[in-house]
Amino acid sequence: MEKIKNLIGKEFTESLSSKSWKVKIDNVLVGDIVVPDKAGIIVQDNDKIYTSIVSDSYVFISHTELKEKFLNQLSQVYNGGLIEREEGVMRYRYSVILKDLIYNISDAPYEYPGQKIGDKIAPIITIRNSYNGKDRISIDFGIYRFFCNNILSKVFRAFFNASYIHRGEIKEDLNFNMPLIMEIVKLISENLKNLVEIKVDGKEIIKEYSEYIDNPFVYHYLNKIRKEYIEGEKSLWQIINEITYITTHKPKVKVNNKVRMLITSRQERKTISFLYNLLEKYLNNLYKELDTLLLGTDYDLDNQLEDENIEIELEALV
């Protein structure tokens, strides 16, 4: 056996393109961990940085390979401009906003008096990969808001995504079904325009939201600090963004003379569920169309809803 320094999980900051990665199958002692027979380790090209222990059936695909495959498939259905964001090595994420499909959902964000900046949204598609075994290859898609990032992209990501195990003929057979994704993101974008026209009792929905996440402080906070933006008849789009304000701005409150976050991580995740249900209630025809489109595909909605291990990231993309 070869004894090496345990550097599993080490983060690299160097450019991804400057690295050559491979899978090494061997009987190797990593720190105090013995890698069994028929197991492998993902290593950097100098064989000194070990990032993960994998089975011998593991098929390695580099971030560069995955990105090129994704962009090649995307180019078959979309030839417009992209706004790109790429980050991570051990856990990799590459996102593209489809620049040619940006449009104003509302001429004035939140219907604030005096606002002249358009409220722009656009489809966003994200792929993920990992070098430490923590993530499968995956793809998700949704809507990104430019004015003040809300979590609608996370709402749709939670239910419209697919993942692939690093096994078998993954390199040759990986197909993201980009024609389907493009059809769905366009359908979602077109339907979201209706949210500006739908009028609701803002305070009533905020009260329902507070009860849903079991946090009465949310209702009292918005009713006191942002009362003018939720009181009376408001567009559903505005109320959705008042709810997501809580998750993106993460305000703090004083309770029993102690300062605490207004909502917990668990309540942030429940916010995703609440918004999904809210959209389903008011955009029921959209969900029926999506069910039909997704049925029997890797993105089948029923499959996603049954997955209790869906990971939801609430941090702003930019």
Side-chain angles (χ1 to χ4, degrees):
M1 294 186 192
E2 175 188 1
K3 188 172 182 178
I4 59 174
K5 188 176 181 181
N6 184 4
L7 290 175
I8 287 182
K10 179 178 173 61
E11 293 287 344
F12 294 95
T13 57
E14 295 91 335
S15 170
L16 180 64
S17 60
S18 68
K19 299 297 177 187
S20 173
W21 300 79
K22 62 181 179 294
V23 172
K24 181 178 181 182
I25 305 298
D26 204 345
N27 224 8
V28 178
L29 181 64
V30 184
D32 296 323
I33 303 172
V34 176
V35 182
D37 291 333
K38 295 186 178 180
I41 49 176
I42 304 176
V43 301
Q44 194 183 355
D45 53 1
N46 60 13
D47 285 358
K48 292 181 180 178
I49 307 299
Y50 292 78
T51 67
S52 181
I53 301 171
V54 296
S55 72
D56 62 346
S57 62
Y58 182 93
V59 175
F60 179 80
I61 182 167
S62 72
H63 303 327
T64 303
E65 288 178 282
L66 182 64
K67 177 182 173 182
E68 289 175 351
K69 186 179 286 286
F70 164 72
L71 290 176
N72 180 58
Q73 292 183 23
L74 178 62
S75 69
Q76 305 303 310
V77 294
Y78 174 80
N79 294 313
L82 299 174
I83 299 175
E84 302 172 274
R85 173 70 181 271
E86 186 174 21
E87 60 185 358
V89 176
M90 295 302 105
R91 304 182 74 179
Y92 173 74
R93 177 169 66 175
Y94 174 67
S95 299
V96 294
I97 294 173
L98 307 184
K99 196 173 181 180
D100 288 18
L101 299 181
I102 296 173
Y103 68 89
N104 278 351
I105 190 171
S106 171
D107 291 332
Y110 291 115
E111 302 165 2
Y112 287 175
Q115 283 283 8
K116 296 181 180 180
I117 302 173
D119 196 354
K120 294 181 173 60
I121 65 174
I124 179 172
I125 306 173
T126 300
I127 57 172
R128 290 174 169 81
N129 194 22
S130 72
Y131 285 166
N132 59 7
K134 291 186 179 295
D135 299 304
R136 296 179 178 184
I137 295 169
S138 67
I139 184 169
D140 56 74
F141 44 95
I143 300 299
Y144 185 79
R145 182 173 185 249
F146 288 85
F147 177 73
C148 182
N149 182 42
N150 62 22
I151 56 174
L152 279 185
S153 58
K154 315 301 187 298
V155 171
F156 289 112
R157 176 194 164 197
F159 299 99
F160 305 126
N161 65 83
S163 62
Y164 309 88
I165 301 174
H166 293 78
R167 290 180 186 169
E169 304 298 324
I170 187 68
K171 285 194 178 187
E172 295 76 16
D173 296 343
L174 184 59
N175 186 338
F176 292 120
N177 199 345
M178 293 308 303
L180 174 65
I181 290 179
M182 289 300 294
E183 188 173 357
I184 289 172
V185 294
K186 288 180 179 179
L187 181 63
I188 292 173
S189 297
E190 291 167 1
N191 276 267
L192 287 185
K193 295 177 183 179
N194 297 330
L195 299 180
V196 178
E197 306 301 326
I198 297 172
K199 302 301 180 181
V200 296
D201 183 331
K203 289 180 71 171
E204 186 60 31
I205 290 182
I206 296 300
K207 188 178 293 184
E208 291 176 12
Y209 166 58
S210 295
E211 292 173 354
Y212 187 86
I213 66 172
D214 193 23
N215 186 337
F217 295 110
V218 168
Y219 174 77
H220 295 305
Y221 175 86
L222 289 175
N223 194 42
K224 181 179 180 180
I225 305 299
R226 304 178 69 80
K227 185 174 182 178
E228 63 183 296
Y229 306 132
I230 67 170
E231 193 170 50
E233 188 180 72
K234 302 295 183 184
S235 75
L236 185 56
W237 178 247
Q238 178 172 342
I239 298 306
I240 285 174
N241 284 294
E242 285 301 319
I243 291 173
T244 61
Y245 170 91
I246 299 298
T247 61
T248 55
H249 290 77
K250 303 185 186 303
K252 296 181 179 180
V253 293
K254 183 177 286 189
V255 180
N256 296 327
N257 292 320
K258 293 182 179 180
V259 177
R260 47 159 277 189
M261 300 295 291
L262 180 57
I263 63 174
T264 65
S265 297
R266 179 177 177 274
Q267 289 167 345
E268 287 181 339
R269 291 191 290 272
K270 292 191 72 173
T271 299
I272 297 285
S273 178
F274 178 83
L275 289 175
Y276 182 88
N277 294 333
L278 188 65
L279 290 172
E280 184 175 27
K281 176 181 178 180
Y282 287 95
L283 300 178
N284 187 255
N285 288 335
L286 166 63
Y287 281 68
K288 288 180 180 178
E289 290 185 68
L290 289 172
D291 275 341
T292 301
L293 284 172
L294 295 169
L295 186 63
T297 71
D298 289 336
Y299 306 96
D300 191 326
L301 185 57
D302 288 336
N303 292 342
Q304 305 301 333
L305 290 172
E306 291 171 1
D307 186 352
E308 297 179 353
N309 297 315
I310 291 173
E311 178 186 357
I312 300 172
E313 296 174 7
L314 287 161
E315 77 277 8
L317 179 67
V318 295

